[in-house]
Amino acid sequence: MKSIIIVLLCITFSVSAQTDYAKLVNPFIGTGGHGHTYPGVAVPFGMMQLSPDSRLAGWDGCSGYHYSDDYIYGFSHTHLSGTGVSDYGDLLIFPFTGDNKWNNSYRKEKDKGYGSKFSHEDEEAHAGYYRVRLEDLDINCEFTTTTRCGYHKYFYPENTNRKIIIDLEHRDKMIDSDLMFLNDSTVVGKRISDNWATEQHFYFAIKFSEIPKERYFKKNDKNMSSKLILEFGDDFKVLGIKVGMSAVDINGAVKNLNTEMPHWDFATYQKANEDMWNKELGKIHAQDKDQDKLTIFYTSLYHTYLCPNVFSDVDGRFRGMDMQIHQSNDHVQYTVFSLWDTFRATHPLYTITQRKRSVDFIKTMLSQYHQGGILPIWELSANYTGCMIGNHSIPVIVDAYNKGIRDFDQYDALKAMVHSADQDRLGLEHYKKQGFISSENESESVSKTLEYAYDDWCIAIFADSLHDHKIADRFYERSQFYKNLYNPKTAFMQPRFNGGWKNNFKPNEVNFDYTEANSWQYSLFVPHDILGLIQLMGGKDRFEAWLDELFTTSSETIGRSQVDITGMIGQYAHGNEPSHHMAYLYNFTNHQWKTQKYVNQIMTTLYHNDPDGLSGNEDCGQMSAWYAFSAMGIYPITPGTDQYALGTPHLSSFSLKLENGNTFNIKTENFSNENIYVIDVKLNNKHLARNFIHHHEIMDGGELVFVMSDQPGIFDGGVPYLRVKDAPLMSAPYFDNAEKVFVKKKKVAIKSAEPVVAIRYTTDGEIPTENSLIYSKPIKIKESTNFIAKSFGAESVSYPVYATFFKANSKWRIKLNTNYLNQYSGGSKRALIDQIRGNSDFRTGSWQGYYGNDLNVELDFRKKKEINSIHLSVLQDVKSWIWFPKEVQFYISKNGKKWVLLKTVKNYESPTKYGTFLQEIGFDQAFETRYLKIVAKNYGKCPDWHPGKGNPAYIFADEIIIK
C-alpha cells in the first residue's frame, strides 16, 4: 500500500510540475466591456506588444481592440493594457491582396481602404501566441514575440500576389517619420508621435523572409515618408516578417532584432515565449476543480505581468526623461508606470513574485527623477503624461524597502521623495501652507489631499528607518492633513471652500473635487491611519455602520458623468481603484466576517471568464492584482507596511515558489462555493490570533490554512496597528457659511471639528499667535474682510485657515432662467455678478456650468443705469466638452417683462482647437436700461470628430462685465 501511495504522490507532483500555465490564460478577458485590454502577444514585461487593431478611436478603443468589433485594420507593435487614455499602436502592418489601398477603411467605406472582417470563431490566443483569419482576404495570421521583437507569419491563398502595407500614420499624431531600405529584405525607420506621451520615439527594423518584388512609398503632406506597400508575388504561400523596436535609434532596433530573432523558426520563438510565461505564472501553482476559476486567476497574473515594459535595448541604452540617450549597466530600464493604480496591489504583488524586477523598477524611477526632475506619477515612454494624482512612486519604493528589497541607493531615494513632495505643483503649494487643498485652489482637491497625506506617511516611515528624524517628524505631521477634510456633521471627507465647507454637499455626487469618484468612494482613503480614522469617525460601531451603508445604499450617482465608476455594490465601485481596499476595512470592526462576505461577492460577481469579465479598466494590472491577492485570501491594505490583511480564499489551494528558494503554501479545509466564511486560520500548524500575516512569514516559507464554513465565525485576535505615531495633529477650524460674496453685511462664524482650548483669528494678514484675538461669537462685518484662523489645543496647534469675504459693489438683482449644474455653481447664485473672476481651470469653483442648455439670465439694476460696455466672460475647453456659445444675445426692457433685442454678438473663435481659452463676448455701446437679459446659445452636441460625439455640450461663464 505504501508503494502505491508513493507512486500516486509522484504522479501528482509530476502533473503539477508540467502544468502549461500559458494555455490556462485567456487574453480575451477584459477585451469587452470597459476592460481595455488587448488579445495579442507579448512576453512578461516585454517592450513589444504585437496585437490586432480593430478600433481606431474612442474610449473603449484605448488598447486598439474591442471584442464587439468584427473588423481588423492591421497589426501594430505597441499597446497599452487596460488604460483609460489612448496611446501607442505604433507601426501598423497589414497583409492583403488585390488593389493597392493606402488608408485605413472604416466599415461604412471599407471598399475604399484596407482592412478585413474577422470572426472570433477564427481567432485564438493564449500567453505567447495569437492567431486570426482575415475573412475578406482568406489570409491566416500568426504572431509571437520576444522581449523587443515580433514575428508575423502570414498564410496567403494560393496563386495570389501577396502584399503588405506598412503604415506609420496609424492612430496618434505623427511629428516625424522615415521609411527606408537598409538592404533588399530589410526596412528601417522611425516614428515620433504626439498623444498622451507628447514626444514618443519609436524606431524599428523589419526583415522579410524573401525579397519584395515591388516597392511603393507614400509621403504625407509634410513630405515625410509615412507609408510603404510591398509586393511579394505568388511564388510562395507563407510570408514571414520580423520586427525589432527601440526607443533609442534605428541602430538599436537593428541590434535588438539581430540579437533576439536571428533565425526564422516561428515555433522556436513561440515555445520560448510560452516558456517565459510558464516560468512567471508557475511561481504560484493554484489548484481548484473549477476550470473557470483557474483561468481567471492565471489571466489575472498574466495581466499584472504585461507591464511595466522593458525600455532599454539589449546593449543597455535607453531614452531618458530628458530625451537624451543614457547607458545602464546595473539595471533594465522600464516604462509605463500607472502608479495611481498599481501602487495599491500590483507592485505589492511584485514584492512576492518579482523581487529582482522590483529593484529595476525602483532604479528606473530614480533615474527618471534625475533626468526629469521629479519621481514619475504616470510615466509613458519617457514622458510625464500629466495624468492622475499623488506621488505614488513613493509607496512603491517604501513598500519594497520594508519587504527586504533594498538593492538601491536608499538615501538618494529619500532625497527624491522629499524633493517630489515639496514641489509647488498640483495643489502642493496650498497643501503645505494650510494643511489641505481647497477646492478653489486646485481641482480634485479632496483626493489630492488624502493621497498626498498617505504618500507623506510613507516618506516619514522611510526617513525614520534611515534615522533622519527631522524629515520623519515633518512628514508624520503632514500625513495627518486628511483630518482637515473630515466634516463631523456628515461623517464624510468634503471639499473645503474659502476656509469652510463647499455648499450643497451630496456624497453620491461625482464632481471635480474627487478623482474619478465621489465622497463615498474616497472618504475612507486613509490607509496609513485607519485606527485614527476610526477614532475620528466616532469609534468601531459608527465606522462599521458607515461601511454597511456604503455597500447597501443606492448605487445611483449624480453630477458629472464618469465612465470609470462601474462594478457597483451600493456606492462601492470596484471598477475603479479608490474603492479597492474598502471591503477589507471590516477587519477593523467587530464583525470581520463582512470582509469575507463582500470580498467573495466581488470575486464571484465582478470577475468572469468572458471578454466582459472585468468590471472596469484593467489599469495596467491593478484590477487583476486585486483578484490575484484576494483569491489567495490576503490583501495589502496599506502598501508600505509588511502586513497583508486576511480575507477569504477563492480557490482551494496555492503554492508560492519564491525567488529565495522557499515555498509558501496556502490551503483550505472544508472549502466549497458555499463555505465562504473563515472560522479559523492556522499558520504553520498554530492558531493565528490575528487577521493579518507579515511579509516575512510568506518569504520564510511555510503553510497558511483557512478553515471554512457556510456560517460567519467570531475572530478573537488583533488587527494591524495602522496609526500615525507621535503627537496627533489638531484639525484646522472652519468658517461656517463660507460664501465669499455678501451685499450689505455678514456674520462670520468660526468652528472646530474637535474640542479646542481656543480659536484665534486675525484680519490684518498675519498668522494668528497665542496673542491674537480669541473667537467667542459670530463676527459682524460690513466691508470686505480677510480672515486667518487657527485652533489652539492643550498640546498642539492647527494649520492656519484662510477666508475672504467680499462685499459686492452693487445691489443688483439676478434671476437665472436656466439652472446651472450643482457641481459648477460658481460659489453662489450671484456668481455671474460677484466680481470674482475664474482662472483657466474651470474645475476650481469660480465658473458656472450649464449642460445642454442655453445660459439665460436677467439683471435688475433697481433703477435705470447708464451702460457703455457689456461682455460675458466665457471659457472653452473642447477636451472637456465645453464650447464657447455660438452667439450671445443682449436684451433690454422697461418693465422686466417685454424684452427688446439690443444686439447679437457671434462667436468667431475656432470650435475645433484643443486647449483652454478665455473670451469676453460682448460690445461697446452706450445705452440706458433698468432691466437686462443675456442669452448665451449653447454650442449644441459634441460633433462627430469628438470623443463625446452626440452628447450635449457645456457653457461655462464666470462674470457679466458691465462698465
Side-chain angles (χ1 to χ4, degrees), residues 353-413:
T353 65
Q354 302 292 335
R355 292 176 67 84
K356 292 179 181 178
R357 279 194 175 92
S358 290
V359 173
D360 285 353
F361 296 156
I362 293 170
K363 288 184 176 180
T364 293
M365 293 174 188
L366 293 177
S367 76
Q368 290 170 340
Y369 153 70
H370 286 292
Q371 298 148 15
I374 60 171
L375 287 168
I377 298 173
W378 213 127
E379 179 273 342
L380 173 61
S381 195
N383 285 248
Y384 292 111
T385 63
C387 188
M388 304 315 295
I389 66 171
N391 285 309
H392 296 320
S393 295
I394 293 168
V396 170
I397 298 171
V398 175
D399 188 58
Y401 174 85
N402 281 331
K403 293 173 180 174
I405 299 172
R406 300 185 174 184
D407 188 19
F408 60 92
D409 189 332
Q410 295 148 32
Y411 294 96
D412 186 47

Side-chain angles (χ1 to χ4, degrees), residues 229-293:
I229 289 178
L230 300 175
E231 294 183 7
F232 292 88
D234 61 358
D235 297 346
F236 302 97
K237 184 176 179 180
V238 180
L239 175 66
I241 301 173
K242 298 187 297 187
V243 180
M245 64 175 284
S246 168
V248 175
D249 53 28
I250 290 174
N251 288 337
V254 171
K255 190 171 185 179
N256 290 342
L257 182 58
N258 289 339
T259 302
E260 294 189 357
M261 280 193 168
H263 58 77
W264 287 96
D265 188 343
F266 182 93
T268 299
Y269 296 124
Q270 179 184 335
K271 174 72 165 50
N273 190 320
E274 292 167 349
D275 287 347
M276 293 174 72
W277 279 113
N278 280 321
K279 176 186 175 183
E280 298 303 330
L281 298 173
K283 290 178 178 179
I284 302 179
H285 179 69
Q287 289 184 307
D288 198 89
K289 62 183 180 181
D290 188 328
Q291 186 69 25
D292 279 345
K293 283 185 180 182

Side-chain angles (χ1 to χ4, degrees), residues 812 859 861 863-871 890-892 902 923-933 960-963:
W812 304 343
L859 299 182
F861 300 117
K863 62 181 181 180
K864 187 173 288 188
K865 179 177 177 61
E866 182 176 324
I867 297 173
N868 295 305
S869 172
I870 182 166
H871 292 78
F890 299 87
Y891 297 83
I892 57 175
L902 180 65
F923 60 94
D924 299 327
Q925 176 181 319
F927 63 95
E928 287 188 344
T929 188
R930 172 177 171 176
Y931 299 96
L932 176 70
K933 180 163 73 171
I960 298 170
I961 305 161
I962 296 175
K963 298 178 182 178

